[in-house]
Amino acid sequence: MSEKIAYTPLGKETPRRKSSKLLKHLAVGALLVFAGYKAFSHISDDEPPINPKESILDTLKINLAGDWLKKYTSEPHLAGTNYGFVEWTAQKFEEYGFTLSIDEYEILVSYPHEQALHLLKSDEVVYTAPLKEDVLEDDKTTQGNDTIPTFLGYAANGNVTAEYIYVNYGTLEDFEKLNKLGVDVNGKIVIARYGAIFRGLKVKFAQEAGAIGILLYSDPGDDNGITPANGYKQYPDGPARQESSVQRGSVQFLGGVGATPGDPTTPGYPSKAGAEREDPHQSIGKIPALAISYREVKPILARLNGHGLKIKEKGWVGELEGFDYSTGPNEKFTLNLYNDQIFKITPLWNVYGEIEGDNKDEVIVIGNHRDAWIKGGAGDPNSGSAVLLEVARALGALKAAGYKFKRSIILQSFDGEEYGLLGSTEQGEYFAKSYQKNVVAYLNLDAAVVGKHIHFSALPTLNHILREAAKEIEYPEEGVGSVYDDWVEQHDGKVGILGSGSDYTVYLEHLGIPSADIGFGPTKGDKLIYHYHSNYDSYHWISKFADPGFVYHNLAAKYLSFLILGLSEHQVINFRLTEYASALKKYYDEATELVPKKWLKQEVTDEDSWDDLLNFDEDVEYINEASSGIYFDESPLPFVDLLKVQRTCHSGQVRGLLNTKHHKNATLHDLIEYTQRDFDRLHNTTVLFDQSTRDLQFQFDHRDSLNFWQKIKLHFRIKVQNKLLKYFERNFLHGKGLHERSWFKHIVFASGRKTGYAAQTLPGLKEAAEDGDFKRFVHWLGIVSRALKRANAQLA
Ligand SMILES: *[C@@H]1O[C@H](CO)[C@@H](O)[C@H](O)[C@H]1NC(C)=O
Ligand SMILES: *[C@@H]1O[C@H](CO)[C@@H](O)[C@H](O)[C@H]1NC(C)=O
Ligand SMILES: *[C@@H]1O[C@H](CO)[C@@H](O)[C@H](O)[C@H]1NC(C)=O
């Protein structure tokens, strides 16, 4: 209970004092002049003669990533188990000069106990799936008595027997299609192949369609042609998928309607000891589920040949030998699916390490999870954990040499990411206020190195920094050039859009903090299958197939260290907003293209609540809290009148346009055009704003030519600029959250409600259009328009 109070929902207690402003401003002003003078003299006179980039490259000439990977893959470390790894990670952070904390939460998880799968013909068992991956002589991780069973986290317990049906990927569209074609899944067990959407949503859609159990398997048709049928040998003799390999994973309803990430018993608030608990079934399923290998599913699916429908569309047919992809059922055969797991609320541990910078209220966070579904987990997440330790070592050496960082740097090793972003979500909820106040950017690792080519997904604000760092690092392969050159070659220089599926979710989508997700992976030319969440994601696999010599682990550590410098060491935070504004315009075009033609002429009335000033006030208060008093703060920084200016201009414009009481109402077409101008205006503003960011940094770099007062003035201009840059993202939060997904507060970036992982931009608008909900579309147009005005008023 008390923990719920610690997490006061933002925006409720906004102080607005109005006393003796002038005196106070003078006093604060004098103090700040002094502080500014000190800051500048410190920077210009005492700067130690250390070149941080040289120091980092020097430290990383020795490559210890393989040692760390060996350690992290030596024992099982499911969420909430292996406190030894917690202590070891903590000890490493400390050894490298980071201030340490271990942060404990009590979270619902499930551990495997017993599971079974039988194929029956009129009550007689004709096949029993072993539910085990093969032990391989070459791969030590697969041996021993401590491998983790093939199970699905949070899958409900149950013992069900029924006829079964092949449902392709088990997407919502797949279930809708089957329903339309008269294939009834009600009361059946369904079999879905992995791919297309997050596995937890397959379970959700199956359950909602009336299925009583679900099996998930990896179809060779989803292996990009790297299959035995095409002559590729299976692991460990070649790069193809080992036929007994099983993808474990969570079946939490991540990103689905009604669900929240994190502990399913504490939606939206931290699960510290003693927290109040709720029924978890908004976020986890009620039907049993198992994951199996393609070898195990073969004899089961082969029994469906010629039964039910054969859907001949391209997306419906995989490449499983001996199966003709009929839907079934075959009334002669049933499956018995038994799942028994131990559900319990148990301690999980995050480990944090901090190097304090000169500006303690400007923090760069880099995080990775520590828990894995399997004993190895060499790629996911331990390549990330190994890289994180190498980054710690490089930055630690820099600190030890006497270097003073401008901004604080915090490393985070999360527990329980695999079950549903548990450790990161709970801490994000617990530390919401201080993170929103202080964190400049969050960088996420995960499966950091499972191939040779860098890829990013990020907020457009960070694109520039991501590219700059990549240009500075040489690519290890002869003749390629820089990491940047390889990226352009392999990924066309495209930065992905963040959806969900890793620990950045709470930072970006709940708190509005600019985030990036970074890793090295295979591309199509590489002919390499990653055994995701299988026993074969092992030290042997990485060191033989994905990264012999740990060359790319070393590269990742260099890259991330440079990236951290790029974020922390510029006097003016090195964000660029123009790319953000351009991306917004593109997302808006996509959203308006979804609008049905007949909506355009439709009139918008007061009831459609576009001009919702009540909502406007609520959001301003919410964002004021989330951005450390940017609207109501009494500091001498020039934000004080922002709100007034905005409110007047906003309501004036809106009334002028709509004139709802006295004249004809505006049509949706009018509103779309009106909002288009908000996007254009923000774009124009960001062009100038980015120019001023560059100018200020330039002046700072040449500050020696400035006199005392010019220096003081520059100091304050940079302070204001940094505040605007730091809190820019918060403008895109909406206190009430997305439609039916209130935990997701970001109005531009979310995961798809039907996909779980994949990104959805401007979800309020796009979902309303998809649902054919005119009123909701209009409402979200208002929310978006106000956010753009808010951002524009701040920057202009
Ligand atoms: C597992 O194997 C280890 C070493 O081979 C042995 O010491 C331990 O007793 C075994 N545990 C069980 C539960 O069989
Ligand atoms: C599951 O239920 C069946 C009857 O439907 C029963 O024969 C079987 O023993 C049960 N399995 C387990 C593991 O309890
Ligand atoms: C943005 O700038 C362009 C080019 O300078 C100008 O034509 C346009 O009117 C501006 N748009 C808005 C909405 O201010």
Side-chain angles (χ1 to χ4, degrees):
M1 229 6 240
S2 62
E3 298 310 330
K4 259 186 144 167
I5 292 161
Y7 165 74
T8 321
L10 302 165
K12 285 288 177 280
E13 24 161 309
T14 316
R16 261 185 274 191
R17 284 161 281 115
K18 284 192 180 128
S19 59
S20 59
K21 261 193 183 165
L22 185 62
L23 263 180
K24 217 161 153 195
H25 283 190
L26 281 175
V28 175
L31 265 174
L32 284 172
V33 166
F34 179 67
Y37 171 70
K38 260 193 76 181
F40 264 66
S41 51
H42 165 74
I43 289 158
S44 40
D45 303 338
D46 308 339
E47 201 161 6
I50 297 171
N51 181 327
K53 288 176 183 164
E54 271 173 23
S55 160
I56 284 166
L57 294 179
D58 205 45
T59 307
L60 294 175
K61 270 188 191 135
I62 298 167
N63 179 5
L64 300 181
D67 296 5
W68 311 146
L69 194 66
K70 191 162 239 168
K71 170 71 182 178
Y72 277 122
T73 55
S74 63
E75 293 166 21
H77 44 295
L78 269 181
T81 70
N82 207 328
Y83 196 73
F85 279 4
V86 175
E87 288 175 316
W88 188 77
T89 305
Q91 183 199 321
K92 283 284 158 206
F93 283 178
E94 245 180 348
E95 185 184 325
Y96 296 136
F98 288 74
T99 310
L100 189 81
S101 49
I102 294 175
D103 185 20
E104 183 175 308
Y105 296 87
E106 295 195 353
I107 304 182
L108 178 76
V109 291
S110 69
Y111 295 124
H113 180 226
E114 270 188 301
Q115 43 271 318
L117 182 69
H118 305 290
L119 177 65
L120 300 111
K121 187 179 181 188
S122 44
D123 291 343
E124 213 170 291
V125 175
V126 293
Y127 171 71
T128 298
L131 303 180
K132 274 200 176 80
E133 297 178 279
D134 290 353
V135 175
L136 307 177
E137 206 181 310
D138 290 357
D139 188 342
K140 259 179 64 184
T141 305
T142 66
Q143 304 160 12
N145 55 15
D146 58 352
T147 56
I148 297 172
T150 58
F151 80 113
L152 294 170
Y154 289 133
N157 289 338
N159 178 8
V160 292
T161 303
E163 289 172 13
Y164 55 96
I165 288 176
Y166 169 74
V167 295
N168 197 27
Y169 290 111
T171 63
L172 197 56
E173 289 75 20
D174 289 338
F175 282 106
E176 280 166 2
K177 176 167 301 194
L178 288 169
N179 186 36
K180 218 182 277 163
L181 295 173
V183 179
D184 186 9
V185 303
N186 198 43
K188 305 283 196 302
I189 291 171
V190 297
I191 303 180
R193 55 170 160 157
Y194 272 120
I197 61 169
F198 175 61
R199 75 182 81 68
L201 294 186
K202 297 174 193 244
V203 176
K204 185 176 202 284
F205 300 145
Q207 176 177 310
E208 286 165 1
I212 59 167
I214 177 168
L215 277 183
L216 303 174
Y217 80 99
S218 307
D219 193 295
D222 296 300
D223 282 344
N224 291 325
I226 307 161
T227 57
N230 290 334
Y232 292 97
K233 288 211 164 80
Q234 296 177 29
Y235 180 76
D237 303 317
R241 183 181 304 283
Q242 215 285 341
E243 64 184 22
S244 77
S245 83
V246 175
Q247 183 192 128
R248 295 158 188 76
S250 170
V251 291
Q252 196 200 43
F253 296 164
L254 185 71
V257 168
T260 52
D263 186 337
T265 69
T266 63
Y269 57 94
S271 50
K272 283 284 181 188
E276 205 188 350
R277 305 278 166 175
E278 296 175 19
D279 183 322
H281 289 100
Q282 280 290 94
S283 297
I284 64 177
K286 291 181 170 173
I287 60 173
L290 288 177
I292 63 173
S293 66
Y294 79 76
R295 186 167 73 194
E296 290 168 313
V297 88
K298 259 188 206 171
I300 297 170
L301 285 177
R303 298 314 206 281
L304 299 183
N305 287 346
H307 295 269
L309 290 180
K310 238 169 125 171
I311 299 173
K312 288 223 174 68
E313 280 167 38
K314 200 165 156 246
W316 269 77
V317 178
E319 295 173 22
L320 192 71
E321 217 178 33
F323 176 40
D324 72 0
Y325 289 86
S326 296
T327 58
N330 176 349
E331 62 200 20
K332 289 207 191 85
F333 289 89
T334 56
L335 277 178
N336 169 239
L337 187 163
Y338 173 65
N339 183 46
D340 184 26
Q341 296 186 31
I342 297 156
F343 282 77
K344 67 175 188 184
I345 291 172
T346 192
L348 267 66
W349 310 280
N350 297 336
V351 184
Y352 314 134
E354 175 171 8
I355 289 181
E356 220 171 60
D358 281 333
N359 305 341
K360 292 172 202 47
D361 61 351
E362 291 176 356
V363 179
I364 313 300
V365 182
I366 168 167
N368 182 55
H369 71 95
R370 202 181 52 252
D371 63 308
W373 288 118
I374 48 251
K375 186 163 91 181
D380 180 5
N382 293 318
S383 60
S385 297
V387 169
L388 193 65
L389 283 189
E390 284 295 82
V391 169
R393 190 165 66 86
L395 299 181
L398 193 50
K399 183 189 165 201
Y403 186 81
K404 276 293 280 173
F405 289 86
K406 283 208 173 92
R407 307 195 166 89
S408 292
I409 293 157
I410 298 183
L411 310 180
Q412 303 193 325
S413 167
F414 301 118
D415 204 350
E417 185 267 359
E418 293 292 0
Y419 280 81
L421 321 177
L422 303 179
S424 60
T425 300
E426 297 310 319
Q427 61 120 27
E429 289 169 352
Y430 188 66
F431 294 111
K433 284 191 176 185
S434 87
Y435 285 5
Q436 284 183 319
K437 178 164 186 281
N438 298 320
V439 179
V440 172
Y442 172 72
L443 304 175
N444 192 60
L445 297 171
D446 192 329
V449 188
V450 294
K452 298 195 297 189
H453 306 295
I454 200 165
H455 53 83
F456 323 106
S457 297
L459 282 211
T461 330
L462 300 173
N463 289 358
H464 165 72
I465 304 178
L466 292 166
R467 286 192 297 257
E468 289 306 303
K471 284 177 188 166
E472 290 176 311
I473 306 222
E474 208 180 315
Y475 197 73
E477 239 168 53
E478 194 79 15
V480 175
S482 65
V483 170
Y484 176 82
D485 294 323
D486 182 64
W487 174 63
V488 170
E489 173 81 29
Q490 298 292 330
H491 291 285
D492 274 347
K494 286 209 178 79
V495 181
I497 305 172
L498 290 170
S500 186
S502 198
D503 292 311
Y504 57 80
T505 306
V506 71
Y507 280 97
L508 175 61
E509 286 155 27
H510 193 60
L511 301 176
I513 292 167
S515 302
D517 187 52
I518 299 141
F520 287 73
T523 52
K524 277 215 165 131
D526 285 326
K527 309 288 176 221
L528 183 66
I529 289 296
Y530 172 45
H531 288 78
Y532 176 61
H533 292 177
S534 143
N535 264 344
Y536 311 126
D537 178 11
S538 61
Y539 183 84
H540 181 78
W541 178 80
I542 288 248
S543 52
K544 183 154 181 218
F545 288 94
D547 188 14
F550 305 101
V551 173
Y552 292 88
H553 282 72
N554 187 243
L555 190 66
K558 286 180 194 164
Y559 177 73
L560 277 153
S561 303
F562 274 42
L563 191 56
I564 289 167
L565 291 183
L567 281 162
S568 65
E569 300 312 288
H570 282 259
Q571 192 71 12
V572 189
I573 295 171
N574 204 16
F575 289 174
R576 293 288 181 276
L577 306 187
T578 310
E579 253 181 280
Y580 197 104
S582 304
L584 280 174
K585 283 169 70 161
K586 183 164 153 272
Y587 306 151
Y588 186 59
D589 287 345
E590 292 164 8
T592 52
E593 263 165 39
L594 297 175
V595 169
K597 288 269 172 308
K598 63 172 194 269
W599 280 11
L600 294 174
K601 290 200 181 115
Q602 201 164 322
E603 288 188 0
V604 176
T605 65
D606 260 356
E607 262 177 40
D608 295 317
S609 71
W610 184 73
D611 183 17
D612 189 349
L613 284 174
L614 191 70
N615 247 322
F616 175 59
D617 280 350
E618 271 180 25
D619 262 353
V620 168
E621 295 219 352
Y622 182 80
I623 292 160
N624 185 57
E625 281 277 324
S627 50
S628 207
I630 202 161
Y631 293 105
F632 305 136
D633 202 346
E634 288 190 38
S635 78
L637 300 181
F639 298 112
V640 195
D641 289 333
L642 249 183
L643 181 72
K644 210 167 69 198
V645 171
Q646 270 195 77
R647 192 184 308 224
T648 335
C649 103
H650 177 73
S651 58
Q653 278 170 353
V654 173
R655 288 291 158 206
L657 179 79
L658 283 181
N659 233 338
T660 45
K661 297 283 183 292
H662 310 294
H663 298 284
K664 249 184 87 190
N665 288 326
T667 63
L668 181 62
H669 181 260
D670 295 334
L671 285 193
I672 286 176
E673 294 234 306
Y674 172 83
T675 307
Q676 179 69 54
R677 283 197 289 280
D678 290 325
F679 281 94
D680 293 342
R681 205 173 294 120
L682 182 66
H683 187 266
N684 286 4
T685 304
T686 56
V687 171
L688 297 177
F689 188 80
D690 281 353
Q691 188 55 47
S692 69
T693 299
R694 280 190 293 265
D695 287 350
L696 288 171
Q697 181 66 44
F698 182 86
Q699 288 179 40
F700 180 80
D701 292 339
H702 299 85
R703 62 192 175 280
D704 285 350
S705 61
L706 302 179
N707 69 32
F708 175 81
W709 289 108
Q710 285 171 322
K711 280 185 184 171
I712 298 299
K713 194 174 152 209
L714 179 61
H715 171 79
F716 282 109
R717 287 190 59 204
I718 290 177
K719 230 177 144 66
V720 171
Q721 191 84 355
N722 277 344
K723 193 157 178 171
L724 291 171
L725 285 160
K726 186 163 105 176
Y727 295 131
F728 173 72
E729 198 61 40
R730 314 287 194 276
N731 284 302
F732 300 100
L733 295 174
H734 177 50
K736 290 196 171 120
L738 298 182
H739 177 68
E740 292 181 330
R741 293 193 291 168
S742 61
W743 184 90
F744 291 86
K745 307 292 187 196
H746 205 293
I747 66 168
V748 182
F749 297 100
S751 56
R753 60 189 167 157
K754 297 175 187 174
T755 61
Y757 280 164
Q760 171 71 297
T761 53
L762 294 176
L765 291 176
K766 290 181 182 171
E767 290 173 2
E770 276 167 22
D771 294 348
D773 190 334
F774 178 84
K775 200 177 153 89
R776 173 145 55 90
F777 188 88
V778 169
H779 181 66
W780 274 94
L781 209 51
I783 291 169
V784 168
S785 169
R786 282 190 294 274
L788 296 168
K789 285 194 173 63
R790 199 154 54 217
N792 193 59
Q794 267 180 29
L795 304 183

